[in-house]
């Protein structure tokens, strides 16, 4: 397994990175729709005030417009699909904006005596005109779509036995042009790059993927995410969930949508800059601690201060990990005699709570994870990150199953979701891998920050450390 993994290109980037920063695909059409609706709502409200009152207080319509647009935006009334046709929500939003206007007038301009009709008639006309404008907008759009215009270019990935049913479902929406159909094999590692290149050439902004085609390879969402392509997952069952998704209705059918960011491809480089800045600051701040630990190690037992070991990192590339030495110098040779006492149930990792090879100072360093501090140099060199799946020795990776290698698709880290969820107390490698995959699928800058803050608590509480 290791030889297969190590044959991967050492120059391939982290799964979450992008070769270039780009604008989300299809954003021009979305912006045009939003601008059109904003304009219609503004004109409708202005017309309602013009027709409904002759009051000379010019500030009221402007305040009302600000309130209305804020409420509409927060109520998702400018999103695509059924959102803009939610007339109940439109009526509620319009009514709330007028009630707030009344409250503001009462609190901040009590000296102004305004007739009730100055509010009631514009309110009623606003509801009528805004709903009418939205209805006409939808009716005009539907007429154009029946003529083949104003349609979204999409691509469908689904197995052959589901294609006919799902094509019919998409055609019923009357807003898509299906530019191509493929089965789930196009998402396999060998075909993935070719598929993405084809989608770029076709100018695809949205890809519809059946749940059966993606359920075992959800990590590929990062490829579409960084390409600026929105994923819509078509359900095959009612038990659908993906952490980065939101529910979106396709007719009467609830689907999951993983939206691409407006500016795609920038998140990972923010993470890399954060890693570099933080590791550099920590190296400078901890320099006196490094010297103190080095002296203690030298006084405690013979041998080098630092321990170097081959670990398997990004895409199976080997690198030297740096740690403060916590064991006797011939610890790796002694491990073979201790394999029978391994406390990890499936034997992939090697963990032993009362490991006789650990020195007295080593026990203290491990208890507070101080032995990991030299890995800040690995971060500066780009071999590791502050947060990510832990890099494992060759002995462990040689025992991987095929599904485990997804861990190697992202930069390894000093700490991670596995470490803050139990550290050494997790005695089954499969449980740890599930946490690593959860981290990969859910990753965001904010998740990294939460893990880092939680790591501080875990270290000081000495949770699961040995």
């Amino acid at each position: 397994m290791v030889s297969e993994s190590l044959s991967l290109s050492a120059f391939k980037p982290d799964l979450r990175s992008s070769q270039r920063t780009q604008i989300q695909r299809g954003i021009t059409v979305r912006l045009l729709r939003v601008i059109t609706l904003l304009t219609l709502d503004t004109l409708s409200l202005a017309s309602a005030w013009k027709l409904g009152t002759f009051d000379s207080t010019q500030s009221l319509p402007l305040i009302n417009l600000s309130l209305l647009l804020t409420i509409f935006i927060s109520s998702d009334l400018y999103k695509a699909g059924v959102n803009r046709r939610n007339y109940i929500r439109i009526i509620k939003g319009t009514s709330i904006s007028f009630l707030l206007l009344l409250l503001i007038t009462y609190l901040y301009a009590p000296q102004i005596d305004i007739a009730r009709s100055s509010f009631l008639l514009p309110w009623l006309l606003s509801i009528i005109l805004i709903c009418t404008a939205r209805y006409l907008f939808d009716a005009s759009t539907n007429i154009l779509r029946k003529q083949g215009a104003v349609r979204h270019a999409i691509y469908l990935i689904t197995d052959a036995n589901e294609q006919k049913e799902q094509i019919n479902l998409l055609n019923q929406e009357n807003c898509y042009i299906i530019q191509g159909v493929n089965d789930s094999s196009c998402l396999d590692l060998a075909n993935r790059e070719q598929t993405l290149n084809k989608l770029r050439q076709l100018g695809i902004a949205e890809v519809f993927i059946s749940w059966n085609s993606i359920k075992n390879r959800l990590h590929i969402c990062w490829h579409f995410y960084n390409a600026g392509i929105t994923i819509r997952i078509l359900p095959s069952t009612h038990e659908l969930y993906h952490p980065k998704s939101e529910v979106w209705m396709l007719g009467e059918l609830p689907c999951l949508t993983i939206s691409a960011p407006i500016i795609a491809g920038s998140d990972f480089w923010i993470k890399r800059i954060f890693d570099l800045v933080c590791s550099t600051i920590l190296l400078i701040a901890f320099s006196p601690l490094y010297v103190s630990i080095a002296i203690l190690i030298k006084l405690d037992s013979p041998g080098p201060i630092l321990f170097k070991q081959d670990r398997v990192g990004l895409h199976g590339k080997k690198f030297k990990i740096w740690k403060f030495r916590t064991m006797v110098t011939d610890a790796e040779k002694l491990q073979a005699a201790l394999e029978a006492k391994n406390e990890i149930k499936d034997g992939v990792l090697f963990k032993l709570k009362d490991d006789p090879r650990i020195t007295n100072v080593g026990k203290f360093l491990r208890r507070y994870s101080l032995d990991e501090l030299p890995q800040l140099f690995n971060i500066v060199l780009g071999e590791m990150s502050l947060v990510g799946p832990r890099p494992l020795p060759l002995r462990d990776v040689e025992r991987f199953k095929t599904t485990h290698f997804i861990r190697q698709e992202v930069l390894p880290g000093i700490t991670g979701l596995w470490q803050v969820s139990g550290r050494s107390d997790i005695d089954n490698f499969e449980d740890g891998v599930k946490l690593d995959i959860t981290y990969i699928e859910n990753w965001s800058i904010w998740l990294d920050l939460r893990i880092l803050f939680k790591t501080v608590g875990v270290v000081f509480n000495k949770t699961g450390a040995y």
Side-chain angles (χ1 to χ4, degrees), residues 277-290 376:
V277 171
C278 287
S279 57
T280 302
I281 292 172
L282 290 173
L283 281 170
I284 296 170
F286 290 158
S287 54
L289 182 60
Y290 278 67
L376 293 172

Side-chain angles (χ1 to χ4, degrees), residues 71-114:
I71 293 168
F72 276 21
I73 291 170
S74 62
S75 301
D76 296 332
L77 288 170
Y78 294 107
K79 284 192 173 182
V82 296
N83 293 284
R84 68 169 183 263
R85 298 190 291 273
N86 192 327
Y87 296 109
I88 299 298
R89 197 178 294 175
I90 290 170
I91 293 169
K92 286 181 179 179
T94 305
S95 300
I96 291 171
S97 72
F98 273 87
L99 287 172
L100 289 173
L101 181 62
L102 269 171
L103 181 62
I104 291 170
T105 304
Y106 175 77
L107 292 176
Y108 295 100
Q111 73 280 4
I112 300 176
D113 185 20
I114 304 174

Side-chain angles (χ1 to χ4, degrees), residues 170-334:
L170 292 168
N171 285 335
Q172 287 173 14
E173 286 297 290
N174 192 36
C175 62
Y176 299 118
I177 297 177
I178 302 175
Q179 297 281 45
V181 181
N182 212 330
D183 60 32
S184 58
S185 65
C186 73
L187 299 176
D188 293 342
L189 181 61
N191 305 321
R192 196 172 299 155
E193 195 57 41
Q194 182 180 354
T195 300
L196 286 169
N197 287 333
K198 184 176 182 179
L199 296 178
R200 291 188 190 101
Q201 292 171 4
L202 292 172
I204 301 296
E206 297 180 19
V207 172
F208 284 79
I209 308 177
S210 69
W211 176 248
N212 286 335
S213 297
I214 200 173
K215 63 183 176 182
N216 294 322
R217 45 164 84 87
L218 283 169
H219 60 273
I220 69 159
C221 293
W222 282 107
H223 294 284
F224 293 98
Y225 188 84
N226 286 318
I229 298 173
T230 293
I231 291 181
R232 302 203 187 275
I233 301 176
L234 297 167
S236 296
T237 69
H238 295 295
E239 298 176 358
L240 286 186
Y241 176 69
H242 184 270
K244 298 180 75 66
S245 66
E246 59 184 18
V247 176
W248 172 83
M249 299 302 294
L250 180 63
E252 299 298 322
L253 187 68
C255 304
L256 296 184
T257 294
I258 303 173
S259 299
I262 298 297
I263 300 177
S266 59
D267 285 2
F268 179 75
W269 300 113
I270 296 173
K271 173 183 173 69
R272 181 64 189 139
I273 292 168
F274 178 80
D275 282 343
L276 279 172
V277 171
C278 287
S279 57
T280 302
I281 292 172
L282 290 173
L283 281 170
I284 296 170
F286 290 158
S287 54
L289 182 60
Y290 278 67
V291 174
S292 301
I293 292 173
I295 294 172
L296 288 172
I297 291 172
K298 272 298 182 184
L299 292 174
D300 181 56
S301 63
I305 294 169
L306 294 174
F307 170 72
K308 295 183 294 182
Q309 186 184 49
D310 282 337
R311 293 288 176 101
V312 181
L314 182 63
H315 301 304
K317 181 183 178 183
K318 289 193 295 184
F319 71 99
K320 295 284 186 184
I321 196 172
W322 294 79
K323 301 177 74 173
F324 282 121
R325 183 174 60 84
T326 60
M327 292 186 173
V328 295
T329 52
D330 58 346
E332 290 187 292
K333 293 180 181 178
L334 296 173

